Amino acid sequence: MCGINGYMNFKSSRSPDELQALIGRMNAALTHRGPDDRGQWADPENRCHLGHTRLSVLDLSSAGHQPMESADGRYVVSFNGEIYNFRALRAQLEKMGHRFHTGTDTEVLLASFAQIGTGIFRVIDGMFALAIYDRETRCLTLARDRAGEKPLYYVATDALFAFASELRPLLQIPDVSFGLSEESLAQYFTLRYVPDSNAILDPVRKLEPGMILQVFADGRQYLQRYFDFTIDQDNEVGPQDTDRYVDAVESALSLSLANRLNSDVPLGVFLSSGVDSALTCALLTRQLGQKVKTFTVGFEGDRDSEHVAARDIAAQLGTEHYEHIFTAADFDRICDRIGHLLDEPNGDRSCVPTYLLSEFTRQHVTVAISGDGGDELYGGYSRYPLLAPPLDSASEAAPAAMVQAYLEKGLPVTPVEAVRTAFPVGYAAVTGFCERYAPFFMHPERPALHALRQLDFHTYLPGAVLAKVDRMSMQHGLETRTPFLSPDMMKTASKANLALCSDGKLQKVALRRLLAKYLPEQHALAPKRGFGMPASVFFNNKPRIEAELKAAYRRLADTRFFAARDGALDRLFRGVPTNINSIWATIVLARWVDTVDCPL
């Protein structure tokens, strides 16, 4: 896993030396993503400059140095990610006459792009954010993986286009004025994250998952989508075919896992008590015959801590198991640093244990497999049984109103009225969110659960879940891989009928039925707990939380943004102490603001 960045110099307003120095500073800001190597490339015409920081996972030699040029020198790439089917692609390219000089997937990616252009993104099984510059057409192509596992931020003006794996490196760009976005703040306090394609700072944007952006030397931009997750109800599995469907899930997930074992460094697995991670471990050990190292975080003083069940799962599957118990000292240490650790504010409470899990996992391995994505693909979130029946009954309601109900009842953060009054202009972005995703609910004969699966796949998964895993793991140079998000798994999930997602009592029915082949009923039928900091952490640290909330008010009040909006902060804070989601999201934002090296 790596860090990428680059700069398109439309009006030659910066000299080559200035831009090389800028790329060097952007690289320095991404060292944690790629601690093993740094590289820079400059177009002789001074049109394009690329930077890269490398975490070596495949072909650990210097042959994998980036930015990397194609064999003929026409294309140059800065690539963050893994192409899991690169060996199959390489074999096809060799039959076409291509010759390779490294063992990297990056070289295969370049040759594939030279062969079929942007069509390669529909063929790749991988996680990635990348930039490829074509020296002949003077076109920079950026792309992001289907689900949004890897991030990509950018800034565009009349004079320049710049991009990076994270937001902070872009703050190094001179002559660009950055400031808090009212639209993004309204979305953040509603959702706990800023959804694509917005970013917390103007004028920064995020490339959405499954998208390609082409930028030409004259400033023209072309945006196109190459992937969209849809529920294929016309081809959903019939009641008589559920057994074969579960077998198909087993086959697709096993193949995905086998592909994700490609590594020249040690590899482990995140293990909780949940169905997704348990199933991942079961298939690795029982189907693929792997000797697996598993890693778990438990919570001190929490009687429902997942580490007890995870320990039993590990014992039954025969893994080499490691666990760490989250204590008040861990909370204090990470809370103090949360603003620095997050590239962009993310109020998901599981950021803290994920950081700790990544930290101690990295002491043993360089790559970790996670179970993220299963909840979106198979309707696993605990909010679904609460939301789906009322939405099914309200089939005549406006689709946008259904998305609004999801925001108000499914993701309780700051009360909607408090957000609306605090951000009267920016609240239009919340309304726009509802209108954008309303089409998911425009199928009167389709169960609302399917619409909720699509909605979370396109919003919550990339905006909160995958962003959390990426930022927290990359703070330690730990690469995470998600087998549930392979193209075959997503295609298989799109055909699941309602009964394979929920039977009225349990969710993710198809995955539970598969897990029951490998583990006892107590694990296959265990209720979902989630991996966020439990309420006990907040109760056990109540004085610290209260002090943090008071400090958050002061930090936010000191910003130019809130100083210019009389009463906005007070209106917002009247809605904050209503639940632990809003409290933590507010603390995170204030801690983050305090670490940004520009006036906000």
Side-chain angles (χ1 to χ4, degrees):
M1 211 44 52
C2 308
I4 67 173
N5 65 85
Y7 188 103
M8 287 281 281
N9 193 22
F10 297 149
K11 297 182 178 180
S12 298
S13 54
R14 295 284 170 185
S15 70
D17 289 344
E18 286 178 304
L19 292 181
Q20 281 294 281
L22 171 61
I23 295 297
R25 294 194 299 272
M26 294 171 76
N27 269 351
L30 292 169
T31 300
H32 57 281
R33 297 188 72 92
D36 299 327
D37 190 22
R38 291 190 198 180
Q40 296 182 219
W41 177 86
D43 173 21
E45 296 182 325
N46 197 32
R47 297 279 187 180
C48 179
H49 293 252
L50 300 177
H52 190 269
T53 63
R54 185 186 184 200
L55 174 65
S56 302
V57 174
L58 288 171
D59 191 339
L60 309 186
S61 74
S62 60
H65 179 80
Q66 292 191 51
M68 181 182 289
E69 296 188 45
S70 61
D72 61 2
R74 175 176 173 177
Y75 301 101
V76 188
V77 68
S78 185
F79 167 57
N80 169 29
E82 298 289 345
I83 307 302
Y84 301 120
N85 60 338
F86 83 97
R87 288 192 171 91
L89 294 174
R90 175 172 172 153
Q92 295 174 13
L93 290 164
E94 286 175 332
K95 291 179 181 178
M96 298 177 186
H98 290 267
R99 296 293 176 262
F100 295 92
H101 306 286
T102 76
T104 67
D105 52 353
T106 307
E107 188 182 15
V108 173
L109 171 66
L110 267 176
S112 300
F113 188 83
Q115 189 72 36
I116 62 173
T118 58
I120 188 58
F121 303 124
R122 295 179 175 86
V123 177
I124 287 173
D125 173 12
M127 57 176 178
F128 56 87
L130 58 84
I132 299 176
Y133 184 64
D134 183 342
R135 296 176 62 181
E136 184 174 303
T137 63
R138 295 177 177 175
C139 175
L140 180 71
T141 298
L142 297 99
R144 194 172 171 205
D145 63 67
R146 293 169 176 82
E149 293 182 64
K150 295 292 107 182
L152 192 55
Y153 293 82
Y154 65 91
V155 170
T157 72
D158 290 341
L160 64 91
F161 179 93
F163 68 90
S165 292
E166 296 184 359
L167 184 151
R168 291 181 194 267
L170 296 176
L171 302 183
Q172 300 290 332
I173 302 170
D175 303 329
V176 175
S177 178
F178 297 94
L180 287 168
S181 163
E182 181 171 339
E183 289 190 345
S184 296
L185 282 171
Q187 291 179 321
Y188 176 79
F189 278 101
T190 303
L191 296 162
R192 286 182 291 173
Y193 61 92
V194 181
D196 297 326
S197 59
N198 289 339
I200 194 67
L201 296 181
D202 282 331
V204 182
R205 305 283 287 173
K206 295 196 287 279
L207 185 63
E208 294 185 35
M211 298 291 282
I212 301 167
L213 176 61
Q214 292 184 301
V215 184
F216 288 86
D218 59 5
R220 288 176 296 136
Q221 294 184 21
Y222 295 97
L223 188 65
Q224 60 177 303
R225 177 169 291 282
Y226 72 89
F227 175 80
D228 194 15
F229 176 67
T230 58
I231 305 300
D232 190 6
Q233 196 169 9
D234 290 339
N235 293 305
E236 73 175 21
V237 177
Q240 72 280 5
D241 294 323
T242 55
D243 288 340
R244 278 185 289 178
Y245 180 84
V246 172
D247 291 341
V249 173
E250 182 177 39
S251 177
L253 188 54
S254 296
L255 177 61
S256 179
L257 282 165
N259 288 338
R260 280 153 180 76
L261 293 177
N262 291 327
S263 176
D264 293 330
V265 293
L267 183 147
V269 181
F270 290 160
L271 178 63
S272 68
S273 66
V275 170
D276 305 327
S277 65
L279 181 55
T280 296
C281 286
L283 293 177
L284 281 169
T285 56
R286 301 287 175 81
Q287 275 283 352
L288 302 179
Q290 296 292 308
K291 293 183 178 180
V292 173
K293 293 182 179 180
T294 50
F295 302 89
T296 297
V297 165
F299 294 91
E300 183 181 60
D302 180 32
R303 62 184 181 182
D304 294 322
S305 178
E306 293 189 80
H307 75 281
V308 177
R311 186 188 300 162
D312 185 61
I313 292 170
Q316 297 208 38
L317 295 176
T319 73
E320 182 181 333
H321 189 59
Y322 301 82
E323 63 184 38
H324 180 94
I325 304 301
F326 184 99
T327 67
D330 289 317
F331 178 79
D332 288 342
R333 174 172 63 92
I334 300 173
C335 187
D336 283 342
R337 299 191 59 217
I338 193 68
H340 291 281
L341 301 177
L342 286 169
D343 172 53
E344 185 177 28
N346 185 337
D348 192 315
R349 288 182 285 123
S350 60
C351 283
V352 175
T354 301
Y355 176 85
L356 186 63
L357 176 62
S358 299
E359 182 180 49
F360 98 90
T361 298
R362 185 63 175 87
Q363 297 170 10
H364 303 274
V365 299
T366 309
V367 176
I369 292 176
S370 82
D372 294 302
D375 286 318
E376 289 79 10
L377 295 183
Y378 286 96
Y381 287 118
S382 57
R383 56 180 171 267
Y384 293 160
L386 302 175
L387 283 170
L391 292 178
D392 283 328
S393 300
S395 58
E396 300 301 318
M402 294 186 173
V403 184
Q404 185 74 36
Y406 162 88
L407 296 180
E408 295 182 11
K409 299 176 183 178
L411 293 177
V413 189
T414 307
V416 168
E417 192 56 35
V419 177
R420 184 184 289 113
T421 57
F423 308 110
V425 176
Y427 193 78
V430 179
T431 303
F433 179 96
C434 295
E435 292 172 349
R436 175 176 180 180
Y437 296 107
F440 292 160
F441 294 87
M442 290 181 178
H443 304 272
E445 302 301 318
R446 189 173 78 170
L449 179 61
H450 293 332
L452 292 169
R453 290 164 60 201
Q454 276 188 266
L455 178 59
D456 272 333
F457 182 93
H458 286 88
T459 60
Y460 184 71
L461 179 64
V465 178
L466 297 177
K468 163 201 69 183
V469 174
D470 174 83
R471 305 312 190 277
M472 296 297 94
S473 62
M474 292 310 297
Q475 283 292 334
H476 306 287
L478 177 73
E479 177 179 305
T480 52
R481 299 177 176 180
T482 51
F484 281 94
L485 297 178
S486 72
D488 282 349
M489 274 300 299
M490 290 187 281
K491 184 177 181 180
T492 302
S494 73
K495 299 177 182 179
N497 62 33
L498 181 62
L500 288 163
C501 296
S502 173
D503 64 4
K505 296 180 181 180
L506 292 172
Q507 298 156 273
K508 294 190 287 191
V509 172
L511 302 185
R512 291 178 184 276
R513 286 183 57 177
L514 179 54
L515 183 59
K517 294 174 60 174
Y518 299 100
L519 286 174
E521 189 175 273
Q522 68 190 75
H523 296 300
L525 303 181
K528 181 176 178 59
R529 295 179 183 176
F531 190 57
M533 283 189 298
S536 61
V537 172
F538 287 80
F539 297 143
N540 295 341
N541 295 276
K542 187 175 181 181
R544 175 64 188 269
I545 292 294
E546 291 175 346
E548 282 289 336
L549 199 54
K550 290 178 181 178
Y553 182 95
R554 294 193 299 270
R555 290 187 177 104
L556 295 175
D558 285 341
T559 63
R560 293 188 306 176
F561 180 91
F562 282 105
R565 292 163 172 79
D566 187 42
L569 195 58
D570 290 324
R571 290 190 290 273
L572 184 65
F573 263 66
R574 279 197 290 270
V576 164
T578 56
N579 61 64
I580 56 180
N581 290 331
S582 60
I583 291 171
W584 182 246
T586 304
I587 290 170
V588 166
L589 175 67
R591 280 280 184 178
W592 179 84
V593 162
D594 211 30
T595 68
V596 177
D597 192 21
C598 69
L600 299 178

